[in-house]
Amino acid sequence: MNNRKSRCPVMVPNFAPAGQKPPTDLQEVYKSDLYDAFPEAFSGDREDQRSPSICKFLEGMYHGQKVCNLTEDDFKEILLNKCTGVPHRLVKDWINTKISVGEIYNRLYKLYGTDP
């Protein structure tokens, strides 16, 4: 019996309109601190003590997006760079094939989420 849920319980964030960039004086802040608004990298390895669970990772991505208000493309870049190993390769393939963020969340959750 498969104990993995079929849908990710974490909400998909809203995105800034395409082409929207932060004001010039915030550009340097974005370059240096942007990644700090998002969670530690997700490896998908349950033995990796530094890697958050998939739910904590996706929740952190949601909250980081609320703070940064990135465009969808910029968010996908952060999502990709916050994944390592197999999850990184999967997310890269899904982004390249134009899979939505919501579907990426669901696929990651199906692969790495478990019932409590």
Side-chain angles (χ1 to χ4, degrees):
M1 182 167 141
N2 187 347
N3 69 345
R4 296 179 198 271
K5 294 182 180 178
S6 62
R7 302 291 297 169
C8 178
V10 179
M11 291 178 41
V12 176
N14 294 316
F15 302 105
Q20 178 176 318
K21 298 293 178 193
T24 306
D25 59 334
L26 292 180
Q27 298 261 352
E28 288 304 313
V29 173
Y30 266 60
K31 287 178 185 175
S32 63
D33 295 332
L34 183 67
Y35 281 81
D36 290 341
F38 292 92
E40 293 295 319
F42 177 71
S43 70
D45 181 356
R46 290 191 175 99
E47 302 297 319
D48 182 355
Q49 297 294 323
R50 294 169 297 162
S51 180
S53 69
I54 189 60
C55 283
K56 289 205 181 299
F57 174 73
L58 295 176
E59 287 170 358
M61 292 300 296
Y62 174 82
H63 291 293
Q65 172 60 8
K66 282 182 70 173
V67 169
C68 296
N69 193 33
L70 302 173
T71 64
E72 186 170 2
D73 287 342
D74 289 342
F75 179 82
K76 284 180 176 179
E77 182 179 334
I78 299 289
L79 177 62
L80 175 64
N81 289 319
K82 285 293 188 169
C83 292
T84 63
V86 173
H88 179 86
R89 288 189 298 275
L90 291 170
V91 169
K92 184 176 183 176
D93 288 345
W94 295 333
I95 289 171
N96 287 338
T97 56
K98 308 285 190 233
I99 301 295
S100 71
V101 171
E103 184 57 26
I104 290 171
Y105 273 31
N106 284 324
R107 289 178 182 196
L108 286 171
Y109 188 75
K110 284 179 188 176
L111 289 170
Y112 299 104
T114 58
D115 287 330

